[in-house]
Amino acid sequence: MTSLSRPDFSRSLLALANRILTDLGCDSEHEPLSIAWPDTDIIVLWIVDGLGWNHVMTALQNHDLPFCQTQITGNLSRSLTKLSTVFPSTTVTALATLHFAKPPSEHGALGYTLWDPEILRTVNLLTSKDLTGSLCRSSIYQKRPTLYDRLRQHHVDSAVISPEIFRHSALSQWFYHGAQYLGYHTPAEIPFLVQQAIIKESRLVSVYWPGFDTISHVHGPTSPSAPLELQLLDWIVSKTQEQIPSQAHVRFVMTADHGCIALTAPKHSTDHLLSRLYAGERRALYTAWSCEELKQELAALEWEDALTLPNEQLWEEGWFGGLPKDSTFRLRTLQTTLLPPQDQQVAMREPEAQILMGGHGGWSGKEREIFLAWWDVH
């Protein structure tokens, strides 16, 4: 098909989630990440949206993460390694994999927009709206046991620390079921909230940091604002560590959902490309075109380096982690996936159309390669 290789689920967010389950006393349904770290009582999981492997390497070289760098390199062995995200390399699919401890083929969140064959609409899972901006009720948000539910069954309490504005979203209620939600209005609240969660005996505290992804989309991942965002993150992590109760045995684990790539605007209008059913991502578009028809469209766009991937083959080859658990999952991805050229994006039709300066969803190295860092606080 192409020279692309499917996600390595043994070194991915799926494996990390299952390792967290086993570390906290639960059985795993999928292969846990094989990594040499000792037992711990409490895990504080930092999820930095959009911070890919290459961005971490640049930040360390430029000393934009000085506190984290000291912790990572303070041990005899370097507590930093490369992981893979899932396909598509997007927040909804990656975070669902992490919070459900299941691959996309089992949780069904196969992109941030998906075709729902039951209501015949493309649903934006971030907003619960269709492409016209109308609210819709979708069975895509079907309740299923989360990582936090499974911990709770084993009498392990957990908490999620995430922006207050996300508290009542359908996505938060779906992903975080079984955990206590502690909302923050500004990052300055995070150290206190982590401290309180640990005092109240949460053994898994997940902290979601969306700022780097926002900066990357609006200004680009290499913009002057990006290192400032990481310096803020580093300072908050340091202040959080200062607030950890001295008697607690805590491990900080830091990772990302995906990386980001700098983008330019589309060379030409993509309106005709979107004249048929579509869903997915600006960088990995699910379409109702066949591969041959799509190639003709791409020639008109002068996108010679774009790739077209038949979705039936993606499913069969395990790009989503296996065959679909539910028959509707396959329908959600339509017929063919389009991966635009490296610096391009599809201008998806939205109520407030945006041409973003950074993006993800595709399968370039910058989008798919993420990091895992860890250190023990006490």
Side-chain angles (χ1 to χ4, degrees), residues 11-14 16-17 20 33 37 44-53 56 72 79-85 94-95 98-99 206-209 212 230 233 252-259 368-375:
R11 299 286 301 174
S12 71
L13 291 173
L14 175 64
L16 174 61
I20 290 171
L33 183 66
W37 60 31
V44 177
L45 175 65
W46 297 83
I47 305 166
V48 188
D49 200 321
L51 188 59
W53 174 261
V56 169
I72 292 168
S79 304
L80 179 69
T81 191
K82 186 187 295 185
L83 295 183
S84 171
T85 189
L95 292 188
L98 191 55
H99 295 307
S206 296
V207 183
Y208 177 56
W209 186 284
F212 186 81
L230 294 183
L233 167 67
F252 277 14
V253 176
M254 185 177 289
T255 192
D257 50 352
H258 55 73
R368 73 174 185 267
E369 293 176 351
I370 58 174
F371 75 102
L372 174 66
W374 68 95
W375 63 89

Side-chain angles (χ1 to χ4, degrees), residues 99-238:
H99 295 307
F100 290 117
K102 295 180 183 295
S105 61
E106 295 183 24
H107 59 63
L110 299 156
Y112 98 98
T113 68
L114 289 175
W115 172 249
D116 186 338
E118 295 184 8
I119 61 174
L120 302 179
R121 288 197 249 177
T122 296
V123 181
N124 184 322
L125 297 188
L126 295 176
T127 63
S128 305
K129 297 178 180 180
D130 64 18
L131 296 180
T132 69
S134 300
L135 283 170
C136 51
R137 295 179 63 86
S138 174
S139 63
I140 292 175
Y141 299 104
Q142 179 182 358
K143 292 292 186 291
R144 60 189 77 252
T146 65
L147 177 152
Y148 310 103
D149 287 323
R150 292 166 64 184
L151 289 172
R152 197 172 184 178
Q153 291 173 357
H154 285 75
H155 309 289
V156 176
D157 291 335
S158 55
V160 169
I161 297 174
S162 186
E164 178 64 26
I165 58 171
F166 299 156
R167 177 187 291 273
H168 299 295
S169 72
L171 214 57
S172 291
Q173 295 176 36
W174 194 29
F175 287 173
Y176 305 142
H177 191 269
Q180 181 185 16
Y181 192 103
L182 303 175
Y184 63 88
H185 302 84
T186 79
E189 298 171 86
I190 292 175
F192 174 76
L193 293 175
V194 172
Q195 179 196 61
Q196 292 304 299
I198 292 174
I199 289 173
K200 293 179 181 179
E201 300 186 342
S202 289
R203 293 188 59 202
L204 174 61
V205 183
S206 296
V207 183
Y208 177 56
W209 186 284
F212 186 81
D213 183 68
T214 302
I215 291 290
S216 296
H217 278 307
V218 176
H219 301 291
T222 59
S223 67
S225 302
L228 296 180
E229 180 68 25
L230 294 183
Q231 291 166 29
L232 174 61
L233 167 67
D234 189 75
W235 188 78
I236 292 296
V237 172
S238 72

Side-chain angles (χ1 to χ4, degrees), residues 328-364:
T328 64
F329 290 4
R330 194 183 295 256
L331 299 176
R332 294 174 187 178
T333 60
L334 301 175
Q335 185 174 355
T336 307
T337 293
L338 163 65
L339 299 179
Q342 290 292 336
D343 62 342
Q344 297 291 306
Q345 59 187 315
V346 176
M348 295 174 70
R349 293 172 182 160
E350 297 174 291
E352 297 181 8
Q354 302 178 74
I355 298 299
L356 302 176
M357 299 309 296
H360 51 81
W363 205 236
S364 68

Side-chain angles (χ1 to χ4, degrees), residues 27-66:
D27 294 331
S28 63
E29 295 182 1
H30 296 275
E31 181 184 355
L33 183 66
S34 177
I35 197 163
W37 60 31
D39 294 339
T40 190
D41 296 329
I42 301 166
I43 295 173
V44 177
L45 175 65
W46 297 83
I47 305 166
V48 188
D49 200 321
L51 188 59
W53 174 261
N54 67 308
H55 305 310
V56 169
M57 292 296 100
T58 299
L60 294 177
Q61 291 170 6
N62 294 339
H63 305 291
D64 293 323
L65 294 166

